Amino acid sequence: MKIAMVGSGYVGLVSGACFADFGHDVVCIDTDQNKVDRLKDGVMPIYEPGLDQLVANNVAAGRLSFTTDLAQGIDGAGAIFIAVGTPSRRGDGHADLTYVHEVARQVGDTLSGDAVVVTKSTVPVGTGDAVERIIADSGTAHKVSVVSNPEFLREGAAIGDFKRPDRIVIGVEDDFGRDVMREVYRPLFLNESPILFTSRRTSELIKYAANAFLATKITFINEMADLCEKVGANVQDVARGIGMDNRIGPKFLHAGPGYGGSCFPKDTLALLKTAEDYDSPTRIVEAVVKTNDSRKRAMGRKVIEALGGADAARGKKAALLGLTFKPNTDDMRDSPAIAIAQTLSDAGVEVTAYDPEGMEQAAPLLPQVTMCDDPYTAIEGADVVTIVTEWDAFRALDLNRVKDLAKAPVLVDLRNIYDPQDVRAAGFAYTGVGRA
Ligand code: UDX
């Protein structure tokens, strides 16, 4: 089947390359000429493990191509995916649907045959109805079914998540849409990946509910971590102890500096907005958003404490290891590192940093931070070393070298990747998260 993927950002590109790998004929469309030119040259606009190879293989096999021409890209496509951005609208946090609506208009105007139009972008409940209306208003004579098919890809693990999903959710209102989507996902169907067919509105809500629930789980364990520090308990053991209960499960219970990224912060805000619009408050999610926001600066204050408090910290130097919101990505969106670095600078602390992939994205966001070429250069002369993101490269630092280079042997481990006993035995003062 020919598939058109409108929007070649993170979701569109990964999904398009994976569909091509299943054997479909995929055209990725984007308005950004520069991005399309670079993709044609094999240059990825994002860092995602394995993506460059997957794209290269499928381009070479003639199953994947790129264009800025929407009409040409969707010509003859059985399924047209909308995978454009839905950023938080400035002012009210609602998902900005400008791009989604614009694509729907263009699809309606240029459609050359019957097609299923699939919203893959994360869109508020009712967006499928709006897309359907916009396409109908174009007066197209072709049969169109509008379907919701949210993505659950994690950055850094997106290809694996796409090919071996926990589930595929498809919100569809008619048989035409259902049949085409079965064909689109046939390879996964044969793999026995569970496919859940629901109504379109239900599917749209599932995406928000999933992300809000995961954000809640993280925020819950982060608050338990704070309590552990006060009562003298260990949050990792608490997480293990509750996670062994099958009803709770062990995942997403790693205490840390708070969640960030392109999805959780934006989607929780959008869910709050929808809940408000429908006069059905989601108090738990409200608390999660507030708690997570304040946690990021609180982590900066934790580093200041490790420097001996606000007065002692002024004029000292802090090295941040890891800047991206999580490892294996270059994504800085809503990364806790931004608030942490800001809190430190506000307190008069000089900040150096190193990140394996994120420094290019981080530099304009953190102009006050000195970016270094490797972790040890960042550590040179530092009064405190802080692990912000759990990149593998930081899991086995040469602690003796760190001690020699740093001005003071102080380690703040915001991801709990070190054993406190080992670090203390190496002569460091150690602060973790929720490990009294
Ligand atoms: C998330 C969802 O997992 C994915 O299904 C959805 O489609 C998009 O949003 P992603 O943003 O790539 O994916 O990252 P994820 O691995 O979920 O982590 C999000 C944030 O939570 C990161 O900042 C991470 O550090 C933090 N986190 C995650 C924790 O602090 N503790 C955890 O136990 C898990």
Side-chain angles (χ1 to χ4, degrees):
M1 184 192 302
K2 177 172 172 185
I3 292 177
M5 190 63 66
V6 188
S8 303
Y10 198 87
V11 173
L13 193 53
V14 171
S15 307
C18 288
F19 278 137
D21 215 44
F22 288 167
H24 294 304
D25 177 15
V26 179
V27 181
C28 286
I29 303 157
D30 204 285
T31 49
D32 184 339
Q33 182 74 56
N34 184 35
K35 188 192 269 184
V36 168
D37 288 344
R38 285 161 61 92
L39 278 166
K40 283 180 176 169
D41 288 340
V43 183
M44 299 300 107
I46 48 161
Y47 171 75
E48 177 65 30
L51 185 61
D52 43 3
Q53 198 54 52
L54 191 74
V55 167
N57 291 348
N58 285 283
V59 169
R63 290 189 298 258
L64 181 62
S65 59
F66 304 97
T67 181
T68 52
D69 186 338
L70 185 127
Q72 180 207 321
I74 69 169
D75 185 36
I80 301 165
F81 281 80
I82 304 180
V84 293
T86 52
S88 284
R89 198 161 63 190
R90 210 173 279 173
D92 66 0
H94 212 309
D96 184 344
L97 296 173
T98 314
Y99 305 117
V100 173
H101 291 169
E102 181 52 31
V103 171
R105 243 183 309 276
Q106 289 182 25
V107 167
D109 287 345
T110 53
L111 209 54
S112 62
D114 297 349
V116 172
V117 175
V118 193
T119 49
K120 194 126 199 76
S121 306
T122 300
V123 291
V125 179
T127 304
D129 303 356
V131 168
E132 193 171 75
R133 265 195 312 275
I134 292 169
I135 294 176
D137 286 350
S138 74
T140 179
H142 301 291
K143 181 162 73 171
V144 174
S145 169
V146 176
V147 170
S148 156
N149 171 219
E151 57 82 18
F152 301 102
L153 311 176
R154 286 165 305 162
E155 292 186 18
I159 294 169
D161 283 353
F162 194 95
K163 292 191 164 183
R164 289 175 294 282
D166 288 345
R167 81 304 203 185
I168 298 154
V169 175
I170 297 174
V172 57
E173 303 290 334
D174 53 58
D175 288 342
F176 173 48
R178 197 172 293 112
D179 292 345
V180 170
M181 291 309 282
R182 266 212 188 94
E183 186 55 26
V184 165
Y185 280 107
R186 198 171 49 85
L188 290 179
F189 216 51
L190 297 175
N191 270 354
E192 296 187 358
S193 296
I195 301 194
L196 177 67
F197 285 102
T198 70
S199 76
R200 200 164 56 202
R201 285 184 164 237
T202 304
S203 165
E204 288 167 341
L205 187 56
I206 285 172
K207 170 67 196 232
Y208 284 101
N211 275 355
F213 191 84
L214 292 171
T216 302
K217 215 173 166 188
I218 296 167
T219 307
F220 177 83
I221 203 68
N222 282 342
E223 286 201 317
M224 287 300 116
D226 291 347
L227 188 56
C228 282
E229 288 174 15
K230 297 272 163 56
V231 302
N234 181 326
V235 75
Q236 286 185 306
D237 289 340
V238 170
R240 255 178 234 124
I242 63 173
M244 282 174 181
D245 183 328
N246 282 333
R247 293 168 302 175
I248 297 173
K251 293 186 179 161
F252 274 70
L253 288 176
H254 297 291
Y259 62 77
S262 61
C263 287
F264 289 170
K266 164 175 82 72
D267 294 349
T268 43
L269 280 182
L271 180 61
L272 289 185
K273 191 70 191 90
T274 300
E276 195 187 312
D277 287 351
Y278 285 85
D279 197 19
S280 179
T282 46
R283 302 269 185 251
I284 292 174
V285 184
E286 278 172 31
V288 166
V289 169
K290 274 200 193 124
T291 309
N292 192 67
D293 275 350
S294 52
R295 181 168 192 82
K296 295 177 183 176
R297 283 192 80 87
M299 292 299 111
R301 291 197 294 278
K302 202 178 180 73
V303 180
I304 291 169
E305 279 312 304
L307 285 168
D311 289 340
R314 200 159 299 116
K316 285 195 173 158
K317 188 172 153 186
L320 303 184
L321 300 188
L323 294 170
T324 51
F325 80 100
K326 66 175 204 174
N328 298 322
T329 175
D330 59 354
D331 202 334
M332 281 297 296
R333 280 177 284 183
D334 278 302
S335 173
I338 301 169
I340 293 168
Q342 199 59 56
T343 308
L344 290 170
S345 309
D346 291 350
V349 177
E350 190 194 328
V351 185
T352 57
Y354 168 74
D355 187 281
E357 294 292 340
M359 290 199 295
E360 205 179 310
Q361 308 257 8
L365 299 170
L366 301 170
Q368 78 282 24
V369 173
T370 308
M371 301 292 168
C372 302
D373 289 339
D374 68 274
Y376 296 102
T377 315
I379 287 165
E380 227 172 296
D383 298 279
V384 59
V385 176
T386 303
I387 291 167
V388 182
T389 315
E390 69 278 32
W391 285 91
D392 281 346
F394 306 143
R395 288 180 186 270
L397 291 170
D398 177 345
L399 291 180
N400 286 329
R401 193 167 164 206
V402 173
K403 211 163 80 179
D404 286 347
L405 287 170
K407 200 156 161 201
V410 181
L411 183 71
V412 177
D413 177 7
L414 297 179
R415 300 287 182 167
N416 289 341
I417 60 175
Y418 278 89
D419 180 336
Q421 277 180 348
D422 292 350
V423 179
R424 287 185 185 125
F428 282 79
Y430 176 89
T431 311
V433 172
R435 303 203 284 187

